[in-house]
């Protein structure tokens, strides 16, 4: 971990050649966003468009705009309804209209102020407006530590999540941990699921650290959060640096997502939080791995970990198994007639497999509907 | 010019490192598209989606699908209404639905069968579906020789043309000159305007060749067309290879487009053909350059060239000058408070200028409304 003394924040660099960028994490960073823009040489001559939602906007939009205007930026803002439903082409078009009305040009910057939904949506706006403009992420949820690293941006289609998107790296990520203090507990738990995932795919000792610090993390202790977010981002950055466009390695970040995305699609976007869905998915993957003789004991460990964070460990019994299977077939991870699973081989190690028989997936889904807790 | 004997076509390589791709030009190529796919190692395991419009589809869709199926590809098709209005987010969403329904996955290929509208639309589908899949262009107009090289893809917003888009290089371009034979004369002229533009920005001798062969080109002589298209594509490829993402040099391809795009926006997309609009724009640029003392005689030469191809040389008198100026301000070429002009310094040489006073632009527009021919 490095410190950037110029803005007083922990700094992590995501190494992507000429597209490398810094992630800054610290308390009260939003008030120093103007200085951060200057450090990244973002030009003042073109309008900045801040996209946020109607939950985050009222809390922080004024502060962000003021801090940018103070150092000479011209700022326009656009607020969308909160929730996954805003990741639609309709809302995307509204954002493009807002960019045009603000007079945004090729040297403009789009700022995402909010959680993963706002980040994905605003990121897709930045990726496509005039074929791509600068992009800055200001995440205000724990979950967004995952989505704000790596440049994947997208909106949903009624039939499939994240199906319309791009790879578009931000110019910087500015993580103000004080914005996390007002997060509802359910969102905290959901966000921590992605943090734990980073331990499970890459670093056994970080997984153990998560388990040991569950209490502090759930209580939003700023020191624990800063360390956990930095580690989570660092693991994701290490993976993405090696495989920006997901040709192979990057796919390991999808642990729990094959089942998880299908559950989200069946539930209707928004009913099940993303972290909740992948918590169940990670348990499913571990069980599949055990049945295939790949990883003894990992399923039990994974389930214990999820329980210690108050995350669900079972599929709600009323979800239709065949609908879940069908949703998997519409996912980006399905191709050439097979779906992809990320399966653990040990704690902190995973393998990408395309040979999981659909019958076995069906059995695991049935099993997950029978047992465990679902709040 | 090289020949590729395996499919019997003239071949030009667009050099873009690992994104390099071939352009094949020849008569009857559509019937050999299956072989071309094999040569480019396009996998047979994932569905192919051919996007076309309701004018081109009835003529060639069956032939394309059959040729691909013959060598083992699974093919789905999607037909959109012909015309610029199909470059909308609504029609784009329909295409994404079609891709999902066809079961397209990450290894699928989107084929654009048609003119520039279909190429831009299908290209944006390929750029964003699952964050990017393979893309093949099968242009059926002369105008598309320009848009099919260089990877610029986009749809329109009601307020601005091509404002939502991406850079997404095709895997190959397959140009069947026999499909050009059924083009209406007005489309032939419009397409040739872009061909002439390539001479005017880069190669005086090619501009002269165009003038000498105006008659053959207008009569759709296949030999003249093949040579002209290859030269036009080669010039564009040379420019794009040096500056894929339009940081500087690539902007020279916009000769005539600052005024041209504004005219198209004011006319309502579709009323004025693209080549017609840029023909007027190229004359405007040459006059601006003359007034600024940059290029004596180029305006007269440009006007004569446009006339020899039956292209318009005046702005329709009922267009509102202030509306034209306002449309320029919404264009991607406008940033940091100034609009960009590509101005000739000689025949075959241009310069990018951002210092043209708006008053002078206004004068030129008024002048162009007063004189010349408009059919």
């Amino acid at each position: 971990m490095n410190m950037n003394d110029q803005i007083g924040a922990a700094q992590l660099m995501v190494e992507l050649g000429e597209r490398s960028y810094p992630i800054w994490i610290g308390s009260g960073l939003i008030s120093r966003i103007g200085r951060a823009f200057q450090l990244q040489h973002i030009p003042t001559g073109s309008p900045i468009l801040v996209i946020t939602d109607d939950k985050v906007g009222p809390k922080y939009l004024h502060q962000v705009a003021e801090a940018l205007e103070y150092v000479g930026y011209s700022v326009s803002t656009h607020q969308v309804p909160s929730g996954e439903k805003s990741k639609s082409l309709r809302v995307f078009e509204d954002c493009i209209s807002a960019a045009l009305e603000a007079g945004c040009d090729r040297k403009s910057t789009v700022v995402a102020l909010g959680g993963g939904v706002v980040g994905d949506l605003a990121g897709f706006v930045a990726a496509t407006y005039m074929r791509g403009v600068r992009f800055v992420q200001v995440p205000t949820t724990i979950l967004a530590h995952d989505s704000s690293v790596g440049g994947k941006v997208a909106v949903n289609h009624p039939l499939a999540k994240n199906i319309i998107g791009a790879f578009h790296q931000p110019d910087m990520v500015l993580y103000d941990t004080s914005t996390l203090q007002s997060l509802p507990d359910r969102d905290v738990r959901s966000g921590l699921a992605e943090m734990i995932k980073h331990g499970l795919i890459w670093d056994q000792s970080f997984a153990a650290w998560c388990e040991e610090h569950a209490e502090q993390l759930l209580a939003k202790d700023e020191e624990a959060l800063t360390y956990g977010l930095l580690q989570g981002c660092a693991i994701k950055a290490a993976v993405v640096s090696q495989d920006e466009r997901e040709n192979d390695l990057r796919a390991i970040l999808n642990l729990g997502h094959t089942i998880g995305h299908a559950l989200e699609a069946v539930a209707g976007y928004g009913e099940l939080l993303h972290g909740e869905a992948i918590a169940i998915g990670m348990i499913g993957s571990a069980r599949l791995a055990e049945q295939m003789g790949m990883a003894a004991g990992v399923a039990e460990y994974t389930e214990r970990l999820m329980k210690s964070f108050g995350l669900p460990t079972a599929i709600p019994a009323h979800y239709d198994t065949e609908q879940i299977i069908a949703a998997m077939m519409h996912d980006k991870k399905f191709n050439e007639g097979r779906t992809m699973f990320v399966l653990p081989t040990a704690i902190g190690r995973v393998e990408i497999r395309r040979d999981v028989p659909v019958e076995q997936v069906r059995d695991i889904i049935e099993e997950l509907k029978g047992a465990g807790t679902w709040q």
Side-chain angles (χ1 to χ4, degrees), chain A residues 270-288:
Chain A
E271 184 189 312
L272 202 59
L273 296 184
H274 180 64
E276 294 169 346
I278 67 151
I280 304 168
M282 288 191 272
I283 295 170
S285 292
R287 290 200 187 180
L288 278 171

Side-chain angles (χ1 to χ4, degrees), chain A residues 343-362:
Chain A
L343 300 185
T345 54
I347 301 161
R349 288 286 168 273
V350 292
E351 231 178 69
I352 294 159
R353 299 288 290 253
R354 307 193 66 85
D355 61 347
V356 183
V358 69
E359 299 72 36
Q360 207 165 335
V361 179
R362 192 175 279 117

Side-chain angles (χ1 to χ4, degrees), chain A residues 156-173:
Chain A
N156 300 326
H157 181 280
L159 293 176
K161 194 174 151 82
N162 290 334
I163 211 77
I164 305 168
F167 290 93
H168 191 67
Q169 301 297 341
D171 284 64
M172 66 172 166
V173 178

